[in-house]
Amino acid sequence: MATTIRRAVLTLPAAPLGPENPLPALLPRGPHGDAHRLDARQRAALPADMALQSGYAPLRSVLPVRLRDGYTRRRAPADLDALVIENDRLRATVLPGLGGRVHSLHHKPTGRELLYTNPVLQPADFALNGAWFSGGVEWNIGATGHGPLCTAPLHAARVPAPDGGEMLRLWEWERMRDLVFQIDLWLPEGAEFLYAGVRVRNPGERTAPVYWWSNTAVPEDARTRVLAPADAAWHFGYDRSLRRVPVPGPADADCTYPLRGEYPADFFHDIADGARPWIAALDGQGRGLVQTSTAALRGRKLFRWGAGAGGRRWQRWLTEPGAGGYAEIQAGLARTQLEHVPLAPGGEFSWLEAYGPLAADPAATHGDDWAAARAEAEHRLEAALPRAEVDAAYAAWLPYADTEPKESLAAGSGWGALETERGGYRLPGTPFDAATLGPQQAPWLELLRTGGLPPHPRHLPPGPSLVGPHWREHLEAARPTPEVRYHLGVAQWHAGDRSQAVRSWERSAGDHWPSLRCLAVADQECGHPERAAERWLQAFRDAGDRCCDGAEQRAALAALGQEAATALLAGGRPRDAAEVLDALPRATRDRGRFRLLAARVLLARGDAPAAREIFDRGFEVDDLREGDEVLGDTWYAIAEHLVAGGGPVTDEVRERARAEHPLPEDYDFRMRPM
């Protein structure tokens, strides 16, 4: 059967992504800031190359990308556009509108699904900018974590393949680092491996930090074992420590079996230079999926959820009952995901990946002799797909990377078209058509062409900000309207020039609530929580007076209300926090995030029984952040006040509270020992 690429529709129960959050993300996300950043003491203990790359160009924020936190957990059947790549051995189903995710990889001769295919599309707060979903093969570029494009549309087209057939090309402009990436997927006739030719280019004039990890979700049970060519790994847990551990480790905590550990953790395999890079997940019969690549993609990792209550709760959170669990096997440019690799101006990185079935002797792959287990898997891989064949396929593909697409199959964003218009870039193989420019790009196109931003309707939240050095220069030269000063302040803040950012916002804050909100963030960061809380409260009131009803306005008020109430609580003003919550629409107050805030307000006002009643009635925080411990912390704080009965909260009271009021399973998302 000749390779074919065809359109299809995949119908899944799905929770809509909802509107973007209109408030610019000025700070690193997460309950503990950047949870994947090492301090100087930790970096000093690493090998020199790891230490250098783990401290290189940490992400200050996800700007200019916007947050996606408007989703819920209410699912309904939805039709998703899909592209199917097929030969007589494999069928790959790709979702171009959701980051180019390979949703399914079906092996026809055995009828087996090689990936973990999530039966639902349920966004959860795991991506750098919020919404992410589990399952399949995802492509992560930008910075440490699941990339902002994992739920975004990519450009897609047919292009000629090296063997005379067809490839599916996916591409987009990565906005946090201003990089262009492409993924060429194809199935040579008769092949049992899906090839992915990947290229990352830096079209700019400055060296750019590059992060890339291909993440593959694989089915997991008690017999699943993950094999890679390493005798040691770098373990990173949610206690934010990185240490080198032996592989596989002691039998009762063998890290090659995802369910033999209690807590979620990363294991970055320490693969020797020159060794063939690969990773496989095999079931109890020695069957499963293997991923391999050319040498440039050197890193390999296992992510496990673990067997503990928190990890299992997260697994259920991401899918539906009976769907089964999964682990992730991953491949990246660096040894760990804490590192970024410099790419010179005009330079590029490229490599080839291959995904396919592997069948090995289970007595060997699941035996106690780790060297023999590895050797068996690698021997079977070499027989199924020789390393030389992968290198030859890469060499054959590379000349086709510049081939212009011949038929468009899906459209991504208009940001690439805007950037190529600004920079005059020529990017063979990855065209960014001016037809993709839309309303979000229109003001910035006008800035390019006329030197000024158009007036923005006062009843609408601000449009997206652009923060790159070139855009900052255009804003500095523009006529200083409130809109220009606001966006200039965001660009200055992103560049680290915080004093100038504050000046820009102060000049427009009197008649511009978005600037007032930005000043509140700046006050919080500069150690002025009282002034920050007051500014948040005023911004919320002003926005409520100006914003009319509409999805974008509701999203802005909800985000602003959440920030304001949280800041007022932190500033010891629970009465004002309650006023903010009461001013929100009923539909917003009924969301789990705001019911949790209401419980915290009640607790701060001394009404622990009423706060506990909210928990007892039950709620779900739709956008609960990975690693966030706020549910457990709030539950135990309420329990301590109930046990104390108005008295002091002593160590004895805390122990009694934990014994008498154990955290219910529905609220247990703990990813580390407490």
Side-chain angles (χ1 to χ4, degrees):
M1 174 183 174
T3 300
T4 62
I5 299 174
R6 58 181 171 86
R7 298 178 187 271
V9 174
L10 180 66
T11 302
L12 291 177
L17 290 171
E20 293 180 328
N21 185 329
L23 307 183
L26 300 176
L27 303 175
R29 297 194 66 237
H32 310 294
D34 187 348
H36 294 91
R37 188 178 300 177
L38 301 177
D39 59 29
R41 178 186 56 81
Q42 291 172 311
R43 289 200 303 272
L46 300 178
D49 61 334
M50 285 179 61
L52 182 64
Q53 292 181 167
S54 64
Y56 171 54
L59 198 66
R60 293 192 183 97
S61 75
V62 298
L63 286 171
V65 174
R66 284 177 147 188
L67 301 183
R68 298 302 299 256
D69 56 6
Y71 52 86
T72 70
R73 294 186 57 78
R74 293 188 294 273
R75 298 190 288 266
D79 292 337
L80 307 177
D81 290 334
L83 298 169
V84 177
I85 312 168
E86 191 167 13
N87 67 3
D88 58 346
R89 313 295 289 176
L90 287 174
R91 180 171 62 248
T93 302
V94 180
L95 304 177
L98 292 165
R101 182 81 56 107
V102 181
H103 173 76
S104 166
L105 187 59
H106 179 78
H107 186 231
K108 294 182 179 182
T110 61
R112 293 176 54 237
E113 173 58 51
L114 301 179
L115 306 176
Y116 168 80
T117 58
N118 198 332
V120 304
L121 175 56
Q122 177 55 64
D125 195 356
F126 277 70
L128 289 170
N129 67 327
W132 170 86
F133 65 103
S134 64
V137 182
E138 63 176 286
W139 319 102
N140 291 296
I141 182 172
T144 302
H146 297 282
L149 290 166
C150 64
T151 55
L154 302 188
H155 301 281
R158 297 179 196 267
V159 292
D163 62 354
E166 292 182 328
M167 295 189 294
L168 172 62
R169 175 164 297 165
L170 305 163
W171 74 96
E172 189 46 285
W173 187 285
E174 196 290 303
R175 302 177 63 212
M176 295 188 304
R177 306 298 199 180
D178 281 329
L179 300 168
V180 176
F181 73 94
Q182 72 185 76
I183 306 159
D184 288 351
L185 299 171
W186 80 101
L187 288 166
E189 186 172 356
E192 291 213 336
F193 282 80
L194 173 68
Y195 286 160
V198 183
R199 178 168 64 165
V200 178
R201 286 183 282 182
N202 177 10
E205 298 83 29
R206 296 172 173 81
T207 297
V210 178
Y211 171 96
W212 181 281
W213 281 79
S214 305
N215 294 5
T216 304
V218 291
E220 163 213 75
D221 62 27
R223 292 283 289 158
T224 301
R225 193 176 204 188
V226 173
L227 301 102
D231 293 315
W234 293 93
H235 170 279
F236 189 80
Y238 284 79
D239 57 356
R240 299 181 66 173
S241 65
L242 182 70
R243 65 182 188 276
R244 198 168 187 268
V245 298
V247 175
D252 61 344
D254 186 331
C255 65
T256 65
Y257 288 93
L259 286 175
R260 292 195 186 175
E262 184 175 1
Y263 292 100
D266 300 328
F267 293 90
F268 299 100
H269 293 96
D270 198 357
I271 298 175
D273 291 341
R276 181 178 188 178
W278 60 270
I279 190 168
L282 304 181
D283 63 18
Q285 287 73 49
R287 300 183 306 176
L289 175 95
V290 64
Q291 189 271 1
T292 188
S293 70
T294 48
L297 202 68
R298 64 171 297 185
R300 290 299 184 276
K301 168 191 157 182
L302 161 66
F303 169 74
R304 72 168 190 216
W305 283 106
R312 306 329 293 171
R313 180 70 178 101
W314 275 115
Q315 291 259 31
R316 296 192 301 276
W317 184 255
L318 297 171
T319 184
E320 63 182 5
Y326 75 95
E328 288 181 1
I329 56 174
Q330 307 182 10
L333 273 178
R335 196 177 308 180
T336 73
Q337 288 174 338
L338 309 179
E339 303 168 68
H340 299 83
V341 182
L343 179 58
E348 68 178 54
F349 293 138
S350 62
W351 63 89
L352 185 105
E353 304 180 39
Y355 298 80
L358 190 68
D361 178 5
T365 56
H366 288 68
D368 294 335
D369 187 335
W370 173 242
R374 283 174 39 197
E376 166 66 9
E378 187 153 10
H379 170 73
R380 298 290 182 140
L381 170 60
E382 186 65 20
L385 184 65
R387 184 177 188 178
E389 191 171 319
V390 174
D391 291 339
Y394 169 69
W397 163 74
L398 203 53
Y400 287 77
D402 282 348
T403 303
E404 294 299 328
K406 62 180 183 178
E407 179 190 351
S408 175
L409 298 172
S413 77
W415 295 113
L418 180 68
E419 292 293 346
T420 53
E421 170 80 8
R422 180 198 60 74
Y425 302 123
R426 184 178 176 275
L427 298 165
T430 54
F432 293 100
D433 196 325
T436 61
L437 291 164
Q440 288 192 335
Q441 292 83 40
W444 299 95
L445 195 61
E446 184 167 333
L447 178 65
L448 277 181
R449 293 175 176 174
T450 70
L453 285 175
H456 188 77
R458 309 304 270 175
H459 68 283
L460 293 177
S465 297
L466 296 183
V467 297
H470 296 288
W471 292 110
R472 178 178 171 179
E473 291 171 5
H474 282 291
L475 289 167
E476 288 171 339
R479 185 169 64 86
T481 64
E483 286 77 21
V484 166
R485 286 173 172 148
Y486 163 75
H487 289 296
L488 176 58
V490 175
Q492 290 165 332
W493 179 272
H494 180 71
D497 195 348
R498 296 191 168 186
S499 60
Q500 288 289 356
V502 167
R503 291 189 186 96
S504 294
W505 292 326
E506 285 177 339
R507 288 168 182 160
S508 62
D511 191 41
H512 198 247
W513 68 260
S515 293
L516 192 59
R517 176 263 175 181
C518 290
L519 288 170
V521 175
D523 283 336
Q524 177 182 269
E525 285 297 287
C526 294
H528 303 293
E530 298 86 0
R531 191 168 66 194
E534 187 59 34
R535 278 177 160 164
W536 253 305
L537 181 59
Q538 187 60 49
F540 177 77
R541 288 170 175 166
D542 290 356
D545 291 340
R546 290 181 181 274
C547 289
C548 304
D549 192 42
E552 196 174 356
Q553 292 94 322
R554 289 193 297 271
L557 280 175
L560 195 54
Q562 179 181 330
E563 289 184 352
T566 302
L568 289 162
L569 269 176
R573 297 170 61 178
R575 185 181 299 275
D576 289 329
E579 175 197 322
V580 168
L581 296 181
D582 289 342
L584 292 167
R586 167 63 66 181
T588 301
R589 296 201 307 271
D590 285 344
R591 291 176 57 184
R593 172 64 64 183
F594 293 90
R595 293 175 71 184
L596 172 62
L597 269 172
R600 294 175 60 201
V601 167
L602 287 166
L603 179 62
R605 299 181 75 173
D607 196 347
R612 173 61 177 267
E613 186 179 347
I614 291 177
F615 274 82
D616 290 342
R617 286 200 303 266
F619 62 89
E620 292 182 323
V621 179
D622 303 332
D623 59 335
L624 187 68
R625 180 73 172 154
E626 173 191 13
D628 197 340
E629 297 166 356
V630 65
L631 282 171
D633 291 346
T634 306
W635 170 271
Y636 285 124
I638 294 169
E640 289 164 4
H641 281 77
L642 292 173
V643 171
V649 178
T650 63
D651 289 343
E652 180 183 355
V653 166
R654 292 188 180 93
E655 290 180 13
R656 280 186 56 203
R658 289 181 175 265
E660 297 174 10
H661 301 270
L663 183 64
E665 182 180 345
D666 284 350
Y667 301 123
D668 189 352
F669 291 87
R670 291 172 292 184
M671 302 180 80
R672 64 185 180 116
M674 300 293 287

